């Protein structure tokens, strides 16, 4: 039997519609609209597209945008000053520093100066700590998007064997923490894992976040499982995931396509985080 597709595009649109309604109700109740500040240093075209996409998506749901663009030679201290001002500005609910930054700006260090309550990327050490202690906080957008896909498809995670391939700070680690919090039994794999195929074969829920096109073969997938492909690899055949989609679809029960699976969820969850941050601040 062929797997049912998880339509990330449609679910992301649902989330965005819900966020728009939530923002409208918040403003109707007399609050200031949530605000999302983006900080872009330099003119890298890909980064400019990402930032533009985030600002456009914010505007569509009624989130106020603060679009800060600094020249490529902006000194580190100037970027630090902009972030300090945004941290102190009550109209700004969430802050994103677009990475990578030019070499004179230590983007990693500056990201960590974002106030925890405004860390809508959920990647600062405080947010990571809150996640790992299962305390309320802002969660990283891509793994939260995966959880939302699983939730909306009614996937039962209690006691399920979940295998996450990849242990990055951005995806693999927070993904495993979120699955653990949902009471799955979680195994995290990485480049040094022995017999990756065999570990994957026991997964009721398999999440691939590696960055190697088609690494996860069809016969690594357990019959009747749920397969989530976070990978986004540019190949000659176009955008490809980390999972051999055709092979995996013959065995899985549910599967995300690439593109149109996890990808669209990331910005939707960023919008959700911005509203959450605004409400928590108020
Ligand atoms: P990353 O930082 O490069 O981490 C990759 C992870 O995969 C590492 O933990 C690495 O292990 C592991 N790995 C590499 N080769 C492996 C192999 N042959 N077998 C087993 N594990 C292996 O990447 P990332 O930022 O997590 O991103 C992963 C993928 O997701 C990329 O394709 C990226 O484009 C995509 N992505 C998509 C979204 C989205 O919105 N859909 C968002 C973020 C990322 P070691 O730790 O041992 O090196």
């Amino acid at each position: 039997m062929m797997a049912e597709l998880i339509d990330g595009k449609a679910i992301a649109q649902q989330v965005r519609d819900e966020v728009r309604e939530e923002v409208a109700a918040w403003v109707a109740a007399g609050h200031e609209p949530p605000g999302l500040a983006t900080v872009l240093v330099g003119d890298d075209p890909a980064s400019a597209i990402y930032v533009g996409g985030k600002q456009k998506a914010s505007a569509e749901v009624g989130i106020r945008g603060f679009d800060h663009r600094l020249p490529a030679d902006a000194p580190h201290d100037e970027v630090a000053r902009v972030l300090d001002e945004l941290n102190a500005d009550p109209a700004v609910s969430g802050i994103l520093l677009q990475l990578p930054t030019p070499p004179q700006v230590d983007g990693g260090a500056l990201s960590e100066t974002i106030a925890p309550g405004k860390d809508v990327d959920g990647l600062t050490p405080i947010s990571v700590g809150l996640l790992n202690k299962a305390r309320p906080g802002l969660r990283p957008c891509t793994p939260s998007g995966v959880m939302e896909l699983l939730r909306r498809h009614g996937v039962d995670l209690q006691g399920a064997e979940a295998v996450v391939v990849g242990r990055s700070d951005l995806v693999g680690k927070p993904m495993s923490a979120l699955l653990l919090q949902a009471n799955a039994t979680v195994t995290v794999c990485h480049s040094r894992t022995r017999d990756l195929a065999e570990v994957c074969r026991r997964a009721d829920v398999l999440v691939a976040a590696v960055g190697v096109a088609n690494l996860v073969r069809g016969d690594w997938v357990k019959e009747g499982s749920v397969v989530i492909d976070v990978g986004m690899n540019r190949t000659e055949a176009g955008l490809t995931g980390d999972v051999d989609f055709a092979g995996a679809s013959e065995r899985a029960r549910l599967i995300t396509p690439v593109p149109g699976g996890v990808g669209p969820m990331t910005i939707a969850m960023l919008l959700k985080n911005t509203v959450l941050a605004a409400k928590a601040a108020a």
Side-chain angles (χ1 to χ4, degrees):
M1 209 179 75
M2 287 298 280
E4 182 192 337
L5 276 190
I6 297 179
D7 186 345
K9 225 171 136 187
I11 295 176
Q13 190 55 53
Q14 277 171 21
V15 172
R16 288 159 82 135
D17 291 344
E18 288 163 15
V19 171
R20 188 186 308 110
E21 283 166 22
E22 203 179 338
V23 170
W26 180 249
V27 172
H31 300 280
E32 287 298 312
L36 179 65
T38 50
V39 180
L40 174 62
V41 188
D43 42 23
D44 175 61
S47 294
I49 290 172
Y50 289 138
V51 166
K54 288 166 188 172
Q55 285 295 346
K56 183 166 170 276
S58 299
E60 279 167 9
V61 298
I63 291 174
R64 194 189 284 168
F66 300 87
D67 188 354
H68 290 265
R69 307 218 172 194
L70 287 89
D73 60 356
H76 177 94
D77 289 350
E78 190 183 334
V79 185
R81 205 163 38 245
V82 170
L83 290 174
D84 284 346
E85 284 169 15
L86 294 171
N87 275 336
D89 184 347
V92 172
S93 327
I95 305 171
L96 291 176
L97 173 63
Q98 184 66 40
L99 299 177
T101 49
Q104 79 282 5
V105 177
D106 185 347
L110 286 178
S111 293
E112 297 190 1
T113 68
I114 293 172
K118 298 190 179 191
D119 174 27
V120 283
D121 258 343
L123 296 171
T124 61
I126 299 227
S127 297
V128 174
L130 292 172
L131 166 61
N132 283 286
K133 288 181 79 71
R135 297 241 306 263
L138 294 162
R139 310 305 194 210
C141 300
T142 300
S144 311
V146 171
M147 296 306 285
E148 199 70 32
L149 294 176
L150 296 172
R151 195 172 68 76
R152 291 188 192 229
H153 274 271
V155 174
D156 185 8
L157 294 169
Q158 293 273 345
E161 286 275 354
V163 173
V164 179
V165 191
R167 58 172 165 181
S168 69
D169 290 340
L170 185 62
V171 190
K173 280 185 200 150
M175 186 75 253
S176 62
L178 288 168
L179 287 164
L180 187 61
Q181 243 171 61
N183 293 323
T185 302
V186 184
T187 306
V188 184
C189 303
H190 45 80
S191 64
R192 260 45 79 75
T193 297
R194 264 186 269 138
D195 205 350
L196 183 61
E198 210 42 51
V199 181
C200 289
R201 281 188 191 110
R202 61 173 196 246
D204 300 313
V205 176
L206 177 60
V207 181
V210 187
V212 178
N214 299 322
L215 174 81
V216 176
R217 312 307 308 167
D219 67 351
W220 298 13
V221 170
K222 182 177 172 180
E223 291 282 351
S225 62
V226 177
V227 176
I228 304 287
D229 191 349
V230 183
M232 291 201 305
N233 308 295
R234 284 175 210 291
T235 68
E236 281 178 4
L239 195 64
T240 308
D242 292 339
V243 178
D244 163 26
F245 180 80
S249 298
E250 288 176 16
R251 297 165 72 110
R253 172 171 76 82
L254 278 172
I255 189 166
T256 56
V258 178
V262 176
M265 293 301 291
T266 301
I267 285 192
M269 299 313 286
L270 171 69
L271 303 177
K272 218 171 142 91
N273 268 355
T274 305
V275 176
L276 198 68
K279 290 189 166 177

